[in-house]
Each structure stands twice: as structure tokens, then as C-alpha cells.
Amino acid sequence: MEKVIAVLPGDGIGPEITDQAVKALKAIEKKFGHKFTFVYGIIGASAIDLCGDPYPTETHNLCLNSDAILFGAIGDPKYDNNPAAKVRPEQGLLKMRKELGLYANIRPVEIYESLIERSPLKEEKIRGVDLVVVRELTGGIYFGEPRGRDDNGNRAFDTSLYTSLEVERIADVAFRLAQTRKNHVTLVDKANVLETSRLWREVVSRVHKKSYSRVALDYLFVDNAAMQLVTDPTKFDVILTENMFGDILSDEASVLTGSIGLLPSASYGLKTPLFEPIHGSYPQAAGKNIANPLATVLSSAMLLGDGLGLREEASLLKKCCKKIIDERFFTPDLCGELPPRTTSEVGDRISAEILS
Ligand code: IPM
Ligand code: MN
């Protein structure tokens, strides 16, 4: 099969971790006799440095003309500490998601047996956790207008905005996904306070009644959900939620696994699907060859399976990742007392395993 994959390494550790995922994809290509063409684009702080735009038109066109996008990370401390900056790296990622219409962000949280001891929660709480956050990705307070400042810069405002249609289409994704899993959706919102959340409840229960009444549906307020994610994480199957709550809850959920460096994600919608780790650009580690590439390699497994429909290839890649996790071939975030492995050693090991 011939496929074009856009690779957008981005900032911080982005280039190092995407290199490892590309290595793994090349090993899969070789093993299965496919032809993958990798085309590289710029995004984020590195794109601002080069051309002043965090998501240049050339990058957008590259994405439009590809079958799938592999993305590393975005963000640079020089912007984090400068609230007055007019152009910010994160705008690149948000613009890409919006312009490609990628409204459905899927963030699976899986537990690896050999990492249970690394979780900050007790073993008996963690065993059996298997959940997915379905995060709405192109609406809500991230994009709503008006936003800005008035009163000479002394008053700031953002707008959380959702339409029934936006809620309906993401609800569909969540229910369909639940049908392939444990048949249970939890809608997380703040319907006791927010009008947008009351719209979510209304629309989600309507979609449920109409087309998915066999799926169990329950509702949780986001504060309560944040608590139950750590007190009772096995109760969740599919967590359906809006953009901002999904951002926060998926970081929280990721620590259950023992490292945020393990969580992949996929975003689908109207145009080319995007695959990226949920973690950030970890600037302190940039260029040091110490970052954990597993979340990105696992994202490339989602790219193969869900993005390109190459199920066998995806499952082999996942199996190889799992094998090296079981062998505790770990970067410093996970290695504890064991000898630390470098980012590229982990990548080499995965591709060797694929080709073995
Ligand atoms: C994520 C990130 C982004 C988000 C940032 C970098 C804009 O935190 O993908 O979770 O908030 O969506
Ligand atoms: Mn986030």
C-alpha cells in the first residue's frame, strides 16, 4: 500500500520523538512491503522563528495532501513567560485542528501490567483501568468569540460556545466507540453552572435515546469526575466531554498509567486525521536524547490502524512497544533504579523488534 504521511516534529523534544516513530513506521513499511512517503512540515515556535507563522499555508497544504499526520509537540518557554506575545506556538496546533475540522480527539488510557508499580495510585485501584477520553476538539472556550481585552487591557474575556450540531457529531463518535468496548459512556460537564453544559446534556441524551439506547449513559459533573478518576478509575469506559474539560482530564488520567510519556492520541474529523502524543514539548529535555518516545510511537500505531486501516501492522507495532515495556527498556522518566536508555535506543529497539 502506498501512503503519504505528513510529519510535523514541532518544538522541544518533538523532533527526537517523531524520529523514533518514523523509524518504527519505516520498519513496518519494510516488513509488510508498503511504500510510505514521509513529507516534513514546520509548526509551532520553530515555524514562528522561520517565517513568523505557527501554521504556515505550506504546512496546511502538506497536511491536506497527505493520508495521515504525525505530530510531535508544541510550545516554548520563551512564549509561556511572555503573556504579551502576539503570536504563540500553540496557535499553530489549534489552527491546524480547526482548519482540518478535527473535532474528535480520542485519548485511550491503558494500563501496562509491568508499569503498575510506577503509578502513584495503589495497585488495587489501577488494575483493570481501561478508558478512553473522547474530547471535543474544535469548539468551546478554545475557539468561541468574542475573546480579548477591553477597559485598557484591564478586563479579559473568553467565550465558551457550542452548537447542537457540534455536540451531536462528537456524541455519535463516543457512542460508536463505546459499542466496540464496554458499552458505557459517561458525559462529563458542569451542567449545574454552565448553559453550554446543559445543551450538551440535552443533545447527548437525545442522540442516546434515538440511536444508542443499548449503551449505558451516565452523567458526572467535572469536579466530581476529576475526583473519581483517581478514587475509582475502573468505573470509566468512554468519557465524553468538551474541549477544555477533556484537556484537563486527559492529563489527569495519564498519570494513572505511570507516565504521561505513554499516552497516544488520534484526532478525526473532516480532513486528514492527526496523531500525536498527549504530552507537551518538555523543553528542559530538548536535544538531550532522554525523552520517552513511546507516546509518539503508540500514536503512530493508531495512525496505522485507525488512520490507514492497517490493522495487522498496528497490532504488531503495539505488541513490540508492549514487549519493550515488559522488558523495562526505559527512558529516565520510567527507569527508576534500572539503567536509563536513550530516546533513540528505545526507537532502535522497537524497530529491531518489528523486523525480528
Ligand atoms: C493538548 C495540549 C494543547 C491543548 C495545547 C498545547 C494547545 O495541551 O493537546 O492537550 O490544550 O489542546
Ligand atoms: Mn493538554
Side-chain angles (χ1 to χ4, degrees):
M1 182 180 273
E2 285 191 23
K3 293 288 171 190
V4 179
I5 300 171
V7 184
L8 311 181
D11 305 324
I13 56 169
E16 298 155 68
I17 54 177
T18 43
D19 275 355
Q20 311 318 313
V22 169
K23 255 184 221 168
L25 289 169
K26 285 189 170 154
I28 291 283
E29 179 189 27
K30 191 161 171 202
K31 173 124 187 168
F32 290 85
H34 297 306
K35 170 101 189 70
F36 297 152
T37 305
F38 298 92
V39 290
Y40 282 76
I42 55 171
I43 191 165
S46 41
I48 300 177
D49 290 345
L50 283 166
C51 70
D53 183 347
Y55 186 58
T57 314
E58 299 82 76
T59 302
H60 182 57
N61 289 337
L62 196 94
C63 291
L64 286 178
N65 295 322
S66 302
D67 296 297
I69 307 161
L70 178 69
F71 169 72
I74 217 157
D76 188 297
K78 80 178 173 219
Y79 297 94
D80 297 343
N81 304 328
N82 175 13
K86 290 244 162 3
V87 193
R88 314 184 65 80
E90 290 79 5
Q91 289 164 349
L93 179 59
L94 299 180
K95 201 165 155 210
M96 171 166 65
R97 290 171 176 169
K98 189 74 175 178
E99 293 199 355
L100 296 172
L102 302 175
Y103 60 83
N105 181 222
I106 313 290
R107 299 187 159 185
V109 179
E110 259 177 68
I111 299 297
Y112 297 90
E113 188 63 31
S114 47
L115 280 175
I116 285 186
E117 75 220 34
R118 291 267 170 265
S119 173
L121 296 198
K122 293 194 189 83
E123 190 177 324
E124 64 268 23
K125 295 256 184 230
I126 287 300
R127 206 173 285 282
V129 168
D130 179 13
L131 64 90
V132 184
V133 178
V134 174
R135 170 187 176 194
E136 199 292 327
L137 203 60
T138 53
I141 200 165
Y142 273 60
F143 295 97
E145 296 285 348
R147 56 206 282 114
R149 297 270 183 118
D150 58 14
D151 191 18
N152 287 325
N154 290 310
R155 217 167 69 106
F157 46 92
D158 296 286
T159 304
S160 179
L161 199 147
Y162 272 109
T163 64
S164 304
L165 191 115
E166 286 173 314
V167 180
E168 243 167 64
R169 63 186 185 182
I170 189 78
D172 256 318
V173 171
F175 285 122
R176 272 189 273 125
L177 182 62
Q179 286 174 330
T180 68
R181 296 172 44 90
K182 294 177 275 176
N183 232 11
H184 175 197
V185 171
T186 303
L187 172 62
V188 173
D189 63 24
K190 189 73 185 173
N192 49 348
V193 177
L194 301 176
E195 199 54 45
T196 41
S197 288
R198 288 191 280 273
L199 177 72
W200 272 75
R201 280 209 186 194
E202 209 177 286
V203 173
V204 170
S205 70
R206 188 169 70 224
V207 172
H208 175 243
K209 243 190 233 115
K210 187 166 165 242
S211 314
Y212 304 98
S213 53
R214 294 229 177 104
V215 178
L217 169 66
D218 49 28
Y219 308 90
L220 275 184
F221 295 141
V222 62
D223 45 352
N224 187 6
M227 180 185 72
Q228 295 202 35
L229 256 179
V230 287
T231 55
D232 195 9
T234 53
K235 72 171 280 175
F236 295 102
D237 176 18
V238 174
I239 295 177
L240 166 62
T241 192
E242 60 131 89
N243 204 342
M244 174 80 121
F245 298 156
D247 178 45
I248 299 167
L249 292 179
S250 56
D251 265 33
E252 186 191 359
S254 77
V255 301
L256 303 174
T257 64
S259 168
I260 193 174
L262 286 175
L263 255 68
S265 86
S267 304
Y268 307 103
L270 308 179
K271 303 205 169 111
T272 320
L274 165 72
F275 302 84
E276 55 171 313
I278 80 147
H279 61 67
S281 61
Y282 192 13
Q284 306 85 332
K288 294 191 180 148
N289 205 12
I290 57 171
N292 187 345
L294 279 167
T296 317
V297 178
L298 288 164
S299 300
S300 68
M302 292 182 89
L303 182 155
L304 287 169
D306 301 326
L308 304 180
L310 301 172
R311 303 275 161 208
E312 198 188 332
E313 291 80 342
S315 100
L316 175 67
L317 178 47
K318 255 192 102 173
K319 211 173 93 200
C320 295
C321 290
K322 191 165 177 298
K323 179 140 190 265
I324 72 139
I325 292 172
D326 286 342
E327 287 169 358
R328 295 179 163 71
F329 198 85
F330 288 148
T331 43
D333 54 314
L334 287 172
C335 73
E337 303 290 295
L338 299 167
R341 310 295 182 167
T342 64
T343 309
S344 48
E345 279 171 340
V346 173
D348 290 342
R349 181 71 173 255
I350 295 170
S351 36
E353 197 58 51
I354 292 167
L355 293 169
S356 71

